[in-house]
Amino acid sequence: MVDVGKWPIFALCPQEDLKFIRQACVFGSGNEVLYITKNDEVFVMGTNSSGCLGTGDAQSSIEPRCLSVLSGKRIVSLSCGSGPHVVIVTSDGEVYSWGHNAFSQLGNGSTNQSLTPGQVSTNLVNKKVVNVTCGSHHSMVCTSDGEVYAWGYNNSGQIGSGSTANQPIPRRVTSCLQNKVVVGIACGQMSSMAIVDNGEVYAWGYNGNGQLGLGSSGNQPTPCRIAALQGIRVEQIVCGYAHTLALTDEGGMYAWGANSYGQLGTGNKSNQSYPVQVCVDKERIVEIAACHSSHTSAAKSQSGQVYMWGQCRGQAVIAPHITHFTCTDDVFACFSTPAIMWRLLSVEPDDHLTVAESLRKEFDNPETADLKFLVDEKHIHVHKVLLQIRCEHFRSILHESNEDIIEMNQFSYAVFHAFLEYLYTDNISISPEDAIGLLELATMYRENRLKQLCQQTIKQGICEENAVTLLSAAVKYDAQTNMKALDIDIDRNDGAGIPNTRIPIELRRDSCLDLEDFCFRFCINHMTMVTQTDAFADMDNDLLKNFINKASKAGAFKN
């Protein structure tokens, strides 16, 4: 659990109140905080620079003050600028802003400071906003249908309008984003970034340190695709003061921009105008962190390790350094200057178990279970009623069954244990090799979300050592799935021996990922290392021939 007490500002808050906090954000110079209680009440506290507390006056407060206008609205996204100004998004998709406004960064059409939260509605009527990010003096939001709107300071083109005139109200960012679906946004001090649904990254605004990743240092007044990331699918992007980090679907991390504090993690202090891959002990990264008010970077690996680099209490850490933390948020509480939060922080309650937590706790508990599965001579303890509620397959076979033990020979213990655990937790913990077997089970039982989790595990878990093993398994899986689909076709004939319209496309290829193609692409991209593994030396002869043929067509053997 994250301890909000690690941020100094919370020393002013009554300690009894801390346990009721559900969300929080420390912003500005580290001397202001907004937090939300479990009852959805909103409180603020701190120095109140530029009226950023939204209390209706400019008075500092060492005691929490309630923002009744926002209480009960459920804040889902929050960001702030350097003024500071604050912009929040509610669960209903509404946008509110307050604080510093000399550059129209509040989006209300004026340049007057606002001491209370006001709704930003111009051009956002009938739009559901889902995310907000702020630069130093500009603001940007993303809607549920993938549109981006920006407003405020525009001296370097950070609004993306094609000019350098300030923008007083939300304006849709179009240009080459016109027909794209944006799924992620981020702002540096005077730069803007967007990820579209195919994993491409677009950048615009100030580029004096190469923070746009375009290979130059010239400003960009409209969105421009980062060509150096061609063929790389980005899933998360974050911006520091003048640098950018990107996380790929394979768990890789890229960085570019300013590097005077080592914030790129490249082992030196040289700026980079092109994306450069950052390696972290061969670990797969699952989360990256930075914010425009600091030069600090952080990342969390698949194994749970948290790394930090960049500005660390005045010192320069030029390469990822492992910490004892369990979350990236703690990096900014302890090392960042000022001690702020890089996102709206969610604090998990620890005073009671939720329904989900209670179910997770009861998985494979022999004391409460009423059914056992025998797999590879091992027992897995479960509850019939939960299986019937969670899975259509079990609903039918357990409806009239009085058995206490069911033997399962079709799948391995690791695969079937992971499947049953998924029914209790909505998550999976399994090796990428076994994930293919679990994917076969998910396909057979028509568990579409489980299929997506398996695909994600394979993507994040593939490496040079297991790439050939996964490719071999993927080829086998695709072939088996195709045969099963063919069997379904034969069974679904019209009585005259003529199959009906085929349905195997749905079973044979998932829209999210073609396993065989993904594994093959990874092998090609890491050809030198893959061909030196024992798995490659032991590859099936037919598979090896097919691999060499496809690799040749893909241009892998060209000089």
Side-chain angles (χ1 to χ4, degrees):
M1 175 181 171
V2 180
D3 177 14
V4 294
K6 290 182 179 180
W7 282 267
I9 182 67
F10 280 104
L12 299 174
C13 189
Q15 293 303 298
E16 271 298 302
D17 290 358
L18 296 184
K19 64 183 181 181
F20 296 108
I21 295 176
R22 184 170 58 83
Q23 293 171 289
C25 187
V26 178
F27 59 94
S29 58
N31 294 321
E32 283 103 0
V33 63
L34 178 150
Y35 66 85
I36 302 115
T37 68
K38 296 173 184 178
N39 296 326
D40 285 321
E41 291 183 304
V42 179
F43 290 88
V44 291
M45 183 174 61
T47 56
N48 205 14
S49 303
S50 301
C52 66
L53 296 186
T55 53
D57 56 49
Q59 299 300 312
S60 299
S61 177
I62 62 172
E63 295 181 354
R65 298 177 64 180
C66 184
L67 289 187
S68 57
V69 67
L70 295 180
S71 292
K73 287 190 174 293
R74 294 193 65 86
I75 297 173
V76 296
S77 183
L78 180 153
S79 190
C80 66
S82 301
H85 75 285
V86 182
V87 186
I88 64 107
V89 178
T90 72
S91 59
D92 291 330
E94 297 175 336
V95 179
Y96 290 83
S97 65
W98 65 95
H100 191 267
N101 195 33
F103 302 96
S104 299
Q105 60 264 47
L106 298 187
N108 58 19
S110 77
T111 55
N112 299 323
Q113 175 178 290
S114 178
L115 299 179
T116 56
Q119 187 172 355
V120 184
S121 57
T122 305
N123 293 334
L124 296 179
V125 176
N126 299 323
K127 295 289 181 181
K128 182 175 183 179
V129 174
V130 294
N131 193 16
V132 60
T133 179
C134 296
S136 61
H137 299 97
H138 75 289
S139 309
M140 189 163 69
V141 296
C142 182
T143 68
S144 59
D145 53 3
E147 294 178 350
V148 175
Y149 291 80
W151 60 91
Y153 198 31
N154 194 35
N155 67 325
S156 302
Q158 56 265 48
I159 299 305
S161 61
S163 74
T164 55
N166 292 350
Q167 179 64 35
I169 56 175
R171 176 192 179 278
R172 187 180 172 196
V173 182
T174 53
S175 184
C176 53
L177 291 181
Q178 177 71 50
N179 298 312
K180 304 284 186 180
V181 176
V182 174
V183 295
I185 53 176
C187 287
Q189 278 278 298
M190 295 186 293
S191 61
S192 303
M193 297 277 172
I195 310 172
V196 299
D197 57 358
N198 66 357
E200 293 178 345
V201 180
Y202 290 80
W204 61 99
Y206 183 70
N207 194 33
N209 298 286
Q211 57 260 61
L212 300 188
L214 303 176
S216 66
S217 59
N219 296 347
Q220 178 66 35
T222 56
C224 181
R225 183 173 64 85
I226 301 180
L229 294 174
Q230 176 72 35
I232 297 170
R233 191 181 183 98
V234 172
E235 289 193 337
Q236 185 195 355
I237 197 160
V238 293
C239 294
Y241 184 95
H243 77 288
T244 308
L245 303 177
L247 176 65
T248 75
D249 64 343
E250 292 183 359
M253 180 169 54
Y254 289 81
W256 59 93
N259 198 28
S260 56
Y261 293 92
Q263 59 263 48
L264 299 187
T266 54
N268 57 54
K269 295 184 181 181
S270 300
N271 291 0
Q272 296 288 340
S273 61
Y274 286 108
V276 176
Q277 188 161 15
V278 182
C279 297
V280 184
D281 299 332
K282 294 186 178 180
E283 287 257 27
R284 272 180 196 285
I285 301 302
V286 295
E287 181 179 84
I288 52 177
C291 65
H292 73 80
S293 56
S294 77
H295 307 286
T296 304
S297 302
K300 186 175 182 178
S301 72
Q302 191 173 25
S303 65
Q305 300 282 8
V306 173
Y307 297 81
M308 71 79 55
W309 60 100
Q311 189 177 27
C312 172
R313 294 189 176 274
Q315 298 185 51
V317 179
I318 62 175
H321 182 81
I322 196 166
T323 72
H324 65 275
F325 300 135
T326 57
C327 64
T328 57
D329 304 280
D330 284 348
V331 169
F332 292 84
C334 299
F335 293 142
S336 175
T337 306
I340 39 75
M341 292 180 180
W342 73 275
R343 60 179 170 184
L344 178 62
L345 178 65
S346 293
V347 182
E348 295 182 3
D350 63 351
D351 57 342
H352 72 283
L353 291 178
T354 64
V355 172
E357 290 166 339
S358 298
L359 291 178
R360 186 181 298 115
K361 185 180 178 182
E362 291 306 311
F363 172 64
D364 206 9
N365 182 358
E367 294 182 5
T368 60
D370 57 2
L371 176 65
K372 291 185 287 189
F373 281 97
L374 180 61
V375 189
D376 295 340
E377 299 183 354
K378 300 177 187 177
H379 284 119
I380 308 172
H381 301 83
V382 292
H383 306 77
K384 290 181 183 179
V385 64
L386 185 138
L387 266 55
Q388 289 176 298
I389 291 172
R390 294 278 288 151
C391 179
E392 181 65 35
H393 170 76
F394 287 129
R395 191 173 305 161
S396 58
I397 68 171
L398 296 178
H399 180 63
E400 297 180 353
S401 173
N402 294 317
E403 295 184 47
D404 296 325
I405 301 177
I406 298 178
E407 189 170 352
M408 170 59 63
N409 299 314
Q410 196 167 5
F411 299 98
S412 69
Y413 175 83
V415 167
F416 205 70
H417 185 277
F419 169 58
L420 294 175
E421 187 174 17
Y422 162 77
L423 296 180
Y424 280 76
T425 67
D426 266 337
N427 293 299
I428 60 172
S429 177
I430 194 170
S431 71
E433 293 83 2
D434 286 327
I436 290 184
L438 185 57
L439 180 58
E440 182 181 356
L441 183 153
T443 303
M444 180 180 298
Y445 290 177
R446 300 184 182 278
E447 293 285 342
N448 291 330
R449 184 177 180 275
L450 178 57
K451 288 168 65 176
Q452 294 172 357
L453 291 176
C454 291
Q455 292 156 2
Q456 182 180 346
T457 296
I458 294 166
K459 274 184 151 186
Q460 294 181 341
I462 193 170
C463 63
E464 290 89 348
E465 288 297 322
N466 66 13
V468 170
T469 302
L470 290 177
L471 175 62
S472 302
V475 171
K476 180 181 178 182
Y477 164 73
D478 276 352
Q480 288 177 343
T481 308
N482 196 38
M483 288 302 295
K484 288 171 184 173
L486 182 60
D487 290 341
I488 292 174
D489 282 342
I490 294 171
D491 290 340
R492 294 176 68 253
N493 62 63
D494 60 2
I498 302 174
N500 286 336
T501 303
R502 294 201 66 191
I503 62 169
I505 291 178
E506 182 180 10
L507 296 172
R508 170 76 168 92
R509 300 289 191 200
D510 189 284
S511 61
C512 297
L513 168 67
D514 180 335
L515 274 180
E516 183 179 342
D517 288 348
F518 174 79
C519 295
F520 173 76
R521 176 163 55 88
F522 184 92
C523 289
I524 293 298
N525 291 338
H526 303 80
M527 179 71 84
T528 302
M529 294 296 295
V530 167
T531 54
Q532 295 175 10
T533 62
D534 293 339
F536 185 83
D538 298 335
M539 190 185 296
D540 176 80
N541 192 51
D542 290 337
L543 180 61
L544 178 60
K545 288 180 181 178
N546 184 51
F547 177 79
I548 293 174
N549 183 45
K550 288 181 67 176
S552 177
K553 291 180 180 178
F557 305 119
K558 292 182 180 179
N559 293 328

